[in-house]
Amino acid sequence: MAISKLRIHRIRNLSALSLTPCPGINLIYGENGSGKTSVLEAIHLLGLARSFRTNQARHLIQAEQRDCVVYAELDPLNQGEVKPLGIERQLEGEPRIRFAGQDIDLSTLAELLPLQVINADTFQLLEGSPAHRRQFIDWGVFHADSGFIQLWRGFRRVLKQRNSLLKCGKIDPRMRQVWDTEFVSFANALTELRRSYLAQLIPAFNDALEHLLPGIKIDLGFSSGWDSKRSLDDVLAANFDRDLAMGHTTSGPQRADLRVKAEGHSASERLSRGQKKLVVSALKLAQGALFQQTHNRPCVYLIDDLPSELDQQHNRLFCSLLEQSGNQCFITCVDHSSLAEHWRPETAIATFHIAAGALVTDA
Ligand SMILES: Nc1ncnc2c1ncn2[C@@H]1O[C@H](COP(=O)(O)OP(=O)(O)OP(=O)(O)O)[C@@H](O)[C@H]1O
Ligand SMILES: [Mg+2]
């Protein structure tokens, strides 16, 4: 699975950077503005064809340049066969993705390089809108069930149709019946997949949390997007006038959420900043552990500024969980000494010092 070679061209201040990462822990350190997050951004571009910082290619591509390229060598199925993966992004147009000499599409890419990001935005899993938590659950369901993507696309199509009928206000009752039957069928199937994924995720999350925040109990609960004591057919019928007035469908999987509670209170309100970081990290690590169980290969973790918000003891616990996980990790920090001593001697570690967008060879 691991990326064994990485070449980055014209991303932010990285004009041309080549790294030979190790399969375990890769520490990237350097001063503010040196290019550490940009390295993670480049790997994210490679895995998902987009940045985690911007939707606009002109911000990602180096100033005065027209395109950027990231190239890697990896063994995606963990079969001892290293293959090239490359992505090119121009100022305009769609990214071009090549794997083993062929053009591939986005969902093939997402399967090749399963990525997990832990950065300041990950707090949104607790503090942000339900959309962040749905996206989190759906990442897991996408990788757990090959039928998910079809189902999800089908559901989005029916939801869009139903909403556009609601918006125009006049709905033939027979038409409504047809759309609602389809809506309910997609919704129930999608919800079942989400529920069963979460049932598997919860024990993995509890394990990770017990390691990172021993003694703190966090409850995860799934909310399907409608009153689950009632059938969705009944809920749609009962809410029809309201949906018509609002011009969109107010109940269904598009409103699903993951409830995260600490001692009965919303975790977002209750926990400290450091505790929140550890809870969201436990969620992400649990996803990786589950992925590894089902696919027999690890994920790539991009962890920006690992030491921030954490004391020495929690840094150490976080590092020990990462090294046990078997994932390939790219971890940034400003000060190398903040993480240097947290690893077991047998852990594979590569260290990269970056200054002004280039690798520094430490004496
Ligand atoms: N499009 C661009 N072209 C050239 N340089 C850019 C572009 N966008 C950002 N930069 C510069 O690239 C540098 C790298 O930023 P990056 O966020 O990767 O730094 P960092 O090492 O993560 O810093 P910090 O420790 O502050 O998080 C910054 O100095 C930034 O000003
Ligand atoms: Mg940074």
Side-chain angles (χ1 to χ4, degrees):
M1 171 67 245
I3 298 170
S4 50
K5 278 256 172 341
L6 183 66
R7 281 190 227 131
I8 304 168
H9 297 275
R10 301 177 294 283
I11 287 193
R12 300 201 186 260
N13 70 337
L14 311 173
S15 305
L17 188 81
S18 291
L19 301 182
T20 306
C22 78
I25 305 293
N26 294 279
L27 295 178
I28 301 162
Y29 75 100
E31 292 173 358
N32 293 138
S34 56
K36 305 177 298 290
T37 304
S38 305
V39 173
L40 303 190
E41 200 176 15
I43 301 172
H44 194 270
L45 178 73
L46 185 74
L48 289 163
R50 59 182 167 79
S51 158
F52 53 68
R53 287 205 276 200
T54 179
N55 291 326
Q56 289 176 296
R58 68 193 167 91
H59 296 308
L60 176 71
I61 296 170
Q62 191 159 63
E64 320 286 324
Q65 301 292 334
R66 307 182 52 80
D67 71 341
C68 63
V69 175
V70 187
Y71 169 89
E73 287 176 15
L74 69 159
D75 173 12
L77 298 176
N78 231 7
Q79 293 172 330
E81 260 182 82
V82 173
K83 294 186 175 160
L85 171 65
I87 185 150
E88 182 190 314
R89 185 99 228 235
Q90 308 260 349
L91 280 171
E92 306 287 337
E94 294 300 309
R96 181 160 185 225
I97 317 164
R98 302 271 296 168
F99 176 64
Q102 311 243 323
D103 286 333
I104 58 165
D105 65 12
L106 279 177
S107 60
T108 314
L109 178 67
E111 282 173 39
L112 281 181
L113 194 58
L115 286 182
Q116 291 282 357
V117 180
I118 299 176
N119 62 9
D121 288 341
T122 314
F123 285 93
Q124 294 292 325
L125 262 182
L126 297 182
E127 295 171 345
S129 69
H132 291 96
R133 290 178 288 280
R134 280 196 296 277
Q135 202 180 27
F136 168 80
I137 301 171
D138 289 346
W139 184 97
V141 186
F142 169 80
H143 287 286
D145 194 299
S146 57
F148 168 77
I149 192 77
Q150 289 281 72
L151 204 56
W152 190 83
R153 285 183 185 140
F155 173 73
R156 299 300 309 175
R157 177 178 51 80
V158 179
L159 176 66
K160 209 167 145 199
Q161 285 287 355
R162 192 177 193 273
N163 286 347
S164 57
L165 287 174
L166 288 167
K167 255 192 211 92
C168 52
K170 276 198 217 140
I171 305 184
D172 172 345
R174 274 169 309 172
M175 270 290 255
R176 177 183 151 195
Q177 190 55 48
V178 171
W179 283 113
D180 282 3
T181 306
E182 232 192 312
F183 183 89
V184 169
S185 143
F186 276 122
N188 284 335
L190 195 58
T191 302
E192 190 43 46
L193 289 185
R194 284 174 170 170
R195 250 187 228 295
S196 94
Y197 178 71
L198 277 176
Q200 296 175 62
L201 185 79
I202 288 170
F205 168 72
N206 289 337
D207 286 352
L209 194 72
E210 178 57 28
H211 190 111
L212 292 177
L213 265 179
I216 296 223
K217 175 96 178 73
I218 302 287
D219 289 305
L220 300 182
F222 179 59
S223 145
S224 61
W226 72 93
D227 176 359
S228 50
K229 287 187 230 69
R230 299 163 67 194
S231 77
L232 185 55
D233 295 277
D234 290 350
V235 173
L236 287 181
N239 291 350
F240 185 71
D241 289 342
R242 188 174 79 180
D243 286 2
L244 205 55
M246 310 268 288
H248 66 265
T249 309
T250 54
S251 10
Q254 75 284 5
R255 304 290 291 267
D257 201 358
L258 176 67
R259 301 261 154 80
V260 189
K261 299 229 154 155
E263 292 160 26
H265 299 270
S266 148
S268 155
E269 302 289 344
R270 186 81 173 193
L271 299 178
S272 76
R273 194 84 182 145
Q275 288 171 329
K276 283 183 191 174
K277 176 160 177 167
L278 294 164
V279 169
V280 296
S281 301
L283 282 166
K284 295 275 181 154
L285 285 160
Q287 280 207 316
L290 219 56
F291 179 90
Q292 207 162 346
Q293 262 172 39
T294 28
H295 295 267
N296 211 17
R297 57 191 175 111
C299 292
V300 171
Y301 275 76
L302 307 177
I303 306 174
D304 203 14
D305 205 356
L306 187 147
S308 68
E309 329 272 358
L310 301 180
D311 57 40
Q312 274 300 311
Q313 188 209 348
H314 286 103
N315 264 326
R316 192 185 304 276
L317 292 171
F318 199 165
C319 291
S320 87
L321 195 56
L322 290 174
E323 66 188 340
Q324 282 170 34
S325 72
N327 295 304
Q328 186 175 39
C329 302
F330 292 85
I331 299 170
T332 72
C333 57
V334 173
D335 178 12
H336 177 231
S337 65
S338 61
L339 291 181
E341 283 162 16
H342 294 338
W343 313 97
R344 289 185 302 211
E346 63 271 28
T347 299
I349 296 191
T351 302
F352 304 97
H353 179 186
I354 293 195
L359 276 186
V360 180
T361 321
D362 291 329

